Every structure is written in structure tokens, then in C-alpha cells.
Amino acid sequence: METEQVKCLIIGSGPAGYTAAIYAGRANLSPVLYAGMQPGGQLTTTTDVENFPGYPAGIGGPELMEDLRKQAERFGADIRYGVATAADLGSSPYKITIDNDKVIEARTLIIATGATAKYLGLDDEKKYAGMGVSACATCDGFFYRKKVVAVVGGGDTACEEASYLAGLASKVYMIVRKPFLRASKVMQQRVFNNPKIEVLFEHNAIGLYGENGVEGVHLVKRKGEADEQRYDLPIDGFFLAIGHQPNSDIFKPWLDTDEVGYILTEPGTPRTKVPGVFAAGDVADPHYRQAITAAASGCKAAIEAERYLLA
Ligand code: NDP
């Protein structure tokens, strides 16, 4: 198999990966970045980004990522298409296989592979993508001011997103499959105390309807197997909050992860337990998951890589 030696390999092309590439490029590390499955990352699936500092009028998600890519290229980052398919972090240089046909031997590695929002798997989620279906209330909630929305899920994220949306929308339904919320007590209280939020326990969404965007959700209310009631609920926006899956599978044999798969790093730093290997952005962040926090951790990872190579 073809091999290539690089000083700094970055995997992933979201805000963390591109910011790492900008900093590593400016530090003369000649970074090579593989863009992964979804070049540009999760932001390419959203419309307007209004909370990234520096854009008073907002910016389209794909446009922001295109700008970050160009900025990284300006400082010499070698940006390539390809997916990391295997990893050997047993000894330095670290070996990453790309598309099963090439091995990159890297002295430093920045893992910025992100996380993927989970969807229910309904065909209608794809049909109405960007037309009323979203997996990020902070990104898209603003477009539902004074409208009616539903949030699927009963964990901390769902409660947080429902509370956030209640500040904008006229009404928020939570669609929860169990007869209770999994979220922490404090988040549950926040939901129950909010007059705009109505929790629909033991409900499942089985489809969406609407002419030019979401106009409602087909629901099933179930109490045991025998008692099942189907009905349609008019809504304008359908938000998924059923968890994220960090894209860390190939690294798990080498790095510590939490039970979900988020890579564990030294608190406040992107350092993993393997020297010279750093994790930045959503793959190591179950809490904030914002473009700006991902970018910040990508910056830290590149600075760490530079210091590691100098040591
Ligand atoms: P969780 O895994 O905690 O919750 C997922 C929720 O989605 C559960 O209610 C689950 O239902 C539901 N769900 C999963 N799959 C489906 C499905 N196919 N159909 C319907 N419902 C489904 O994920 P979160 O993203 O909420 O939280 C992840 C971690 O991050 C947690 O540890 C959480 O505590 C933490 N977090 C903390 C916050 C804070 O402290 N402020 C904010 C956000 C997250 P069920 O219960 O039936 O399995």
C-alpha cells in the first residue's frame, strides 16, 4: 500500500478541522487535511448561521465552511477528499489508512471527525430536510419565531432545546416515547414549569406531512400494545434531539472514550492519552457542540501539535 509521511495530519473538515489547518499552516507544519464523509461537516446541512462571531448579518453554513477552507488553503494546508478508514496509534509515527488504499504516517494527528446527529430513520426526515426538519435548535430555532414546533426526545438535549425554542416559538411539543423523561431533574423542572411546552408522553412520530415544508406530524400514542391511537398534529418545525453519535469508531482501540464514544481529553485541552494525538470539536465534546467552540478547540489542537513537534 502507498505510504506518505506528514508532520501534521488533520482528519475532518468542520470548523475544528479547518481552524486547526489555518493555525498549523501558519506554524509551517504543512498540514494535510482529509475532508471525510461530509466535506464541510454538519454546518453544510444548515441554512443561515447567525451566531458565529464576525458575521453581523449572518452567513450561510456552506458559505462559512467554504471561507474556512479557503483560509486554510491560503496558509498552505493541503486539503484532500478522502475518509479515514483505519488507525494504528500504537507507536509514532501514527498510521492512518485513507479510503482503504493509502497509509499516512503522521508525527502529529488532529482528530476532528465530528459527531452525527441521530435521526429517527423516517423517509420524511430526508424529504423535508432544510424545510422544517432540523437537528439543531440553536442553529435553526430563530426561523420558528411565533410558530409551533415539536422536539423529539426526552433527554437533557431535548429539554434544553425545547426550553430554548419556547423562548421563540408560540408553542413547543415534546414527543417522548417513554412515560417519563430521561433528563436530569433540573432540566425536567424547567420543561414542566414552562407554560409554552407540552410533553406528549408515550408518543412516537411516524411521519410528516405538508405541501412545501412541514405542516404537521403523524403521531402514534401508545399505552401498551393494545391501546394505540393515531392522530395528526399541526406543526411548522420538527426538531430531532435524540442524541449524537461521535465519529470515533476507528480510534476506540487506542484512545479513551466515554460510554457514548466521545473521545476523552485532558480537561481544558485537546490532548488525548496518546502523545501527539489531539481531539478537537464535537468528537470530543458532548456539551457545547457549537461551531465556535469547535473552532476554538481546533486552534488549541494545532498549537499543541506545534509545541509537541518542537519539544
Ligand atoms: P440521551 O441519550 O441522554 O437522550 C436521548 C433521548 O432521545 C432519550 O429520551 C431517548 O429515549 C430518546 N430517543 C433515542 N432514540 C430515540 C428514538 N429512536 N425514538 C424516540 N426517542 C428516542 O441524549 P442527549 O443528547 O439528550 O444527552 C447526551 C448526553 O449529554 C447526556 O449525558 C446528557 O446528560 C448530556 N447533556 C447535558 C446537558 C446539560 O447538562 N445541560 C445538555 C445536553 C446534554 P429513551 O429515554 O426512551 O431512551
Side-chain angles (χ1 to χ4, degrees):
M1 213 182 286
E2 188 193 341
T3 61
E4 179 185 353
Q5 277 87 32
V6 306
K7 265 199 269 191
C8 177
L9 175 65
I10 300 165
I11 308 173
S13 56
Y18 281 146
T19 305
I22 293 166
Y23 274 77
R26 285 171 55 82
N28 279 336
L29 303 189
S30 311
V32 169
L33 180 150
Y34 278 92
M37 292 275 205
Q38 190 177 6
Q42 288 189 73
L43 277 190
T44 58
T45 66
T46 64
T47 47
D48 285 347
V49 179
E50 298 183 327
N51 52 10
F52 199 89
Y55 296 96
I59 183 168
E63 212 181 327
L64 173 60
M65 298 320 297
E66 183 63 16
D67 282 352
L68 286 176
R69 184 181 63 76
K70 285 190 199 144
Q71 196 174 350
E73 280 178 336
R74 180 177 154 211
F75 298 112
D78 180 351
I79 291 166
R80 305 174 183 176
Y81 290 104
V83 174
T85 47
D88 176 355
L89 309 185
S91 61
S92 177
Y94 306 113
K95 293 156 207 71
I96 303 296
T97 308
I98 305 294
D99 293 334
N100 292 315
D101 71 3
K102 174 171 185 172
V103 174
I104 306 283
E105 296 187 346
R107 289 176 59 204
T108 60
L109 171 65
I110 297 175
I111 302 167
T113 44
T116 307
K118 288 194 213 157
Y119 285 78
L120 293 171
L122 305 173
D123 287 341
D124 286 343
E125 288 170 323
K126 291 193 198 105
K127 182 174 165 188
Y128 294 104
M131 295 164 63
V133 173
S134 169
C136 178
T138 335
C139 318
D140 298 326
F142 189 73
F143 305 109
Y144 296 90
R145 271 178 305 170
K146 301 198 165 65
K147 296 195 170 171
V148 179
V149 298
V151 177
V152 185
D156 279 326
T157 301
C159 290
E160 202 169 65
E161 307 240 306
S163 304
Y164 176 77
L165 287 166
L168 299 160
S170 58
K171 171 92 189 176
V172 180
Y173 293 100
M174 284 182 73
I175 303 171
V176 179
R177 64 182 174 183
K178 295 224 172 96
F180 55 85
L181 294 175
R182 176 205 287 249
S184 53
K185 283 282 173 284
V186 57
M187 295 301 283
Q188 294 193 23
Q189 272 320 315
R190 200 169 297 168
V191 160
F192 293 138
N193 290 341
N194 192 318
K196 278 196 192 167
I197 303 177
E198 182 177 342
V199 185
L200 305 174
F201 286 112
E202 296 182 292
H203 276 67
N204 281 287
I206 53 167
L208 299 165
Y209 61 90
E211 289 285 325
N212 295 311
V214 171
E215 289 172 18
V217 54
H218 302 300
L219 291 174
V220 179
K221 180 178 186 197
R222 199 171 274 130
K223 280 207 167 118
E225 282 303 306
D227 185 3
E228 182 180 293
Q229 186 194 339
R230 288 173 182 245
Y231 67 102
D232 291 346
L233 180 71
I235 54 166
D236 304 296
F238 184 72
F239 287 83
L240 283 308
I242 59 172
H244 282 73
Q245 193 55 49
N247 302 316
S248 62
D249 282 357
I250 61 169
F251 306 108
K252 281 185 187 163
W254 311 100
L255 303 177
D256 291 336
T257 63
D258 71 6
E259 66 280 4
V260 180
Y262 287 97
I263 295 174
L264 298 178
T265 60
E266 268 179 46
T269 83
R271 281 179 229 138
T272 69
K273 73 172 187 185
V274 178
V277 176
F278 308 98
D282 284 13
V283 73
D285 177 11
H287 298 295
Y288 302 107
R289 296 195 292 244
Q290 300 301 300
I292 190 66
T293 52
S297 68
C299 157
K300 289 187 196 174
I303 291 173
E304 290 280 350
E306 185 189 1
R307 289 184 184 158
Y308 173 85
L309 288 169
L310 285 175

